[in-house]
């Protein structure tokens, strides 16, 4: 199982899914209308490290966080 955490204003409960890649996760999340816009804006962290390749392999126990853009001062 892989844990998916939605941070900030996304306001979704964590998910646990049996998935093998970020690409697979993206396809699942695109089915949720409320997440479609966020998927294009968010950065993705895998176990605390930013990742940009949606073909990266996932394993049981991995933690993915979707990080929405923020404004800071």
């Amino acid at each position: 199982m892989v844990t998916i955490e939605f941070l900030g204003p996304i306001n979704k409960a964590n998910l646990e899914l049996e998935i093998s890649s970020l690409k697979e996760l993206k396809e699942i999340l695109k089915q949720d209308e409320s997440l479609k816009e966020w998927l294009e804006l968010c950065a993705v962290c895998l176990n605390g490290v930013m990742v940009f390749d949606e073909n990266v392999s996932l394993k049981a126990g991995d933690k993915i966080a979707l990080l929405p853009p923020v404004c800071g001062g």
Side-chain angles (χ1 to χ4, degrees), residues 29-64:
L29 296 182
K30 282 168 66 173
Q31 296 173 15
D32 183 333
E33 286 295 323
S34 69
L35 289 175
K36 280 185 178 181
E37 181 180 335
W38 289 114
L39 293 176
E40 299 302 320
L41 300 173
C42 288
V44 178
C45 280
L46 173 59
N47 300 322
V49 177
M50 297 280 281
V51 291
F52 302 96
D53 181 3
E54 65 182 31
N55 294 310
V56 68
S57 295
L58 303 173
K59 61 186 180 311
D62 279 346
K63 183 176 179 181
I64 298 167

Side-chain angles (χ1 to χ4, degrees), residues 5-10 38 41-45 50 65-70:
E5 183 176 29
F6 302 95
L7 301 179
I10 300 174
W38 289 114
L41 300 173
C42 288
V44 178
C45 280
M50 297 280 281
L66 295 182
L67 307 168
V70 295

Side-chain angles (χ1 to χ4, degrees), residues 6 10-11 13-15 19 24 27-28 30 36 50-51 61 72:
F6 302 95
I10 300 174
N11 200 24
N14 291 358
L15 294 176
I19 53 175
E24 187 178 357
E27 291 304 313
I28 291 168
K30 282 168 66 173
K36 280 185 178 181
M50 297 280 281
V51 291

